Amino acid sequence: MTSPMRIGVIGVGKIAEQYFAQLPKLSNLDLVAVADVDTARANTVAGEQHVEALSVDALLADERIDAVLNLTIPAAHVEIGLRAIAAGKHVFAEKPLGLNVKESAELLRAADAAGLRVGSAPDTVLGTGVQTARNLLDDGAIGVPVGAAAHWSSPGHESWHPSPQFYYQPGGGPLFDMGPYYLTTLITMFGPVTSVAGSVSTSDRSRSVGSGPLQGTPLEVSVDTHISAILFHESGLSSTVTMSFDIWQSRAPMIEIYGTAGTISVADPNRFDDPTEVWTTDAPEWKVAPVSGGYADAGRGVGLSDMARAIETGRPHRASGQLAFHVLETMEAVLIAGREHRVVELVSTTDRPESVPAGSSPERW
């Protein structure tokens, strides 16, 4: 192993807690500093993590830092990413890659020109749950695949998040917030998307913050809150997707893959190691599939660790900017298709990421 990749984190909100819990377990990453527009919060987190708290400008200029872990709100993903690239640093960002295809393409072009890497969440697809499902599919456990269905719904994040305003602004909504987990999984299974059809709507239900110091504050909704889509994959298969902030309860499965000889119930794509189940005509009952792939005991940040190792070995990294860009274009196309009542063709494509062998650890594989 060479020296660990030195990391600076920009944005230390709620999601950062999950990254900080995992980073000490990843030996090829070294957390150096944190920054946030809320300097008091940055100072508190820096103390907890035993690192420096810097301003955003100072962190970007710090020559000790090799890569920026960008955990800002979606509206700032590309701005911070471009500034990091300009400072000579690799970037790994929370999802989505950006608010739209146009600005995100600029980020990828800048990285390519500088010879730097861009990675993006979700990296949950690198865990044992989704990777086991992929192996079942590739090994023909359910025969020839014929399609898939994905469903995520809730009444809205204001029920639990103390500051949920950004979920109802551009870059939020159920599709941009939760869609990346499901679309990245579907593309991992079936390959890139070539075109989409969709239906979108916004309910007139009044919303307000449900907890914390802002409890009762009305929420202004500027996004579609219920989305249905059909994704047509390059492989010739199609998948259906529902994402909603308008469903109080549902028994719909998260992701199912259908084949000529059975069904795979894919693990929760928002988690790393939930079980995948399989039902086949040879064994007609639901069974938990033995783990056959994926990074074990993974958590958020494993995609950054995988990227650091890929830079060291010269191979493509799995949670790539290219994949995140294709997911972003797919989501953008779904919204256009739904609003204009037509099928939208995609321009981008992506490689199906390399699978993760069972028992791997990103810092050594």
Side-chain angles (χ1 to χ4, degrees):
M1 288 286 293
T2 59
S3 299
M5 176 181 275
R6 297 165 299 181
I7 306 300
V9 175
I10 299 180
V12 292
K14 189 68 175 175
I15 192 64
E17 297 171 5
Q18 297 185 41
Y19 283 88
F20 290 135
Q22 186 69 16
L23 287 176
K25 304 174 186 177
L26 299 168
S27 62
N28 66 338
L29 302 179
D30 179 21
L31 180 62
V32 173
V34 300
D36 196 282
V37 293
D38 183 341
T39 55
R41 172 69 178 160
N43 287 329
T44 297
V45 171
E48 294 169 351
Q49 300 302 317
H50 308 292
V51 298
E52 287 187 68
L54 301 173
S55 69
V56 172
D57 289 344
L59 189 149
L60 290 170
D62 196 320
E63 294 184 355
R64 296 173 300 166
I65 293 171
D66 303 310
V68 168
L69 176 56
N70 183 2
L71 306 181
T72 58
I73 63 173
H77 285 178
V78 170
E79 176 195 352
I80 294 296
L82 284 171
R83 291 177 63 188
I85 294 296
K89 305 183 193 310
H90 305 286
V91 177
F92 191 94
E94 250 304 313
K95 48 76 189 167
L97 185 63
L99 294 185
N100 56 61
V101 165
K102 182 179 179 180
E103 68 168 19
S104 298
E106 183 181 356
L107 174 63
L108 296 187
R109 284 194 297 267
D112 286 344
L116 295 167
R117 299 279 187 118
V118 173
S120 178
D123 52 5
T124 46
V125 295
L126 305 182
T128 55
V130 171
Q131 291 292 314
T132 293
R134 172 179 175 157
N135 286 338
L136 287 169
L137 180 66
D138 290 350
D139 292 344
I142 59 168
V144 178
V146 297
H151 178 103
W152 181 88
S153 64
S154 85
H157 289 338
E158 66 271 21
S159 62
W160 61 270
H161 198 289
S163 185
Q165 294 92 331
F166 71 94
Y167 287 117
Y168 294 96
Q169 299 167 359
L175 183 61
F176 271 61
D177 178 48
M178 296 303 297
Y181 299 107
Y182 290 77
L183 270 61
T184 303
T185 299
L186 292 171
I187 292 168
T188 294
M189 299 297 170
F190 290 166
V193 176
T194 57
S195 61
V196 304
S199 172
V200 301
S201 63
T202 303
S203 71
D204 61 1
R205 176 160 60 91
S206 62
R207 298 176 186 269
S208 61
V209 181
S211 62
L214 299 177
Q215 185 172 0
T217 303
L219 291 169
E220 181 179 346
V221 178
S222 302
V223 295
D224 296 296
T225 53
H226 187 88
I227 295 97
S228 299
I230 303 174
L231 312 184
F232 302 97
H233 295 264
E234 187 177 78
S235 59
L237 298 168
S238 64
S239 53
T240 60
V241 177
T242 299
M243 298 280 136
S244 183
F245 278 168
D246 288 325
I247 297 177
W248 291 100
Q249 287 292 336
S250 173
R251 291 181 175 178
M254 293 179 185
I255 300 181
E256 286 186 341
I257 302 173
Y258 309 115
T260 56
T263 299
I264 299 169
S265 178
V266 183
D268 184 346
N270 191 22
R271 298 174 63 87
F272 288 88
D273 55 6
D274 278 9
T276 281
E277 296 182 286
V278 61
W279 185 104
T280 67
T281 53
D282 291 335
E285 59 180 334
W286 287 108
K287 294 182 178 179
V288 173
V291 170
S292 62
Y295 292 130
D297 301 318
R300 295 182 195 273
V302 72
L304 174 57
S305 179
D306 178 270
M307 186 175 85
R309 178 60 173 158
I311 292 169
E312 182 183 4
T313 60
R315 66 164 174 81
H317 56 288
R318 293 178 172 92
S320 68
Q322 178 195 40
L323 174 57
F325 182 85
H326 187 64
V327 169
L328 176 62
E329 189 191 2
T330 301
M331 295 190 297
E332 191 173 276
V334 166
L335 297 180
I336 294 170
R339 292 165 186 166
E340 299 182 2
H341 306 290
R342 64 184 178 92
V343 173
V344 175
E345 304 288 332
L346 271 70
V347 175
S348 72
T349 188
T350 187
D351 296 326
R352 193 179 184 223
E354 181 183 6
S355 62
V356 181
S360 301
S361 60
E363 64 266 38
R364 292 193 297 273
W365 178 252

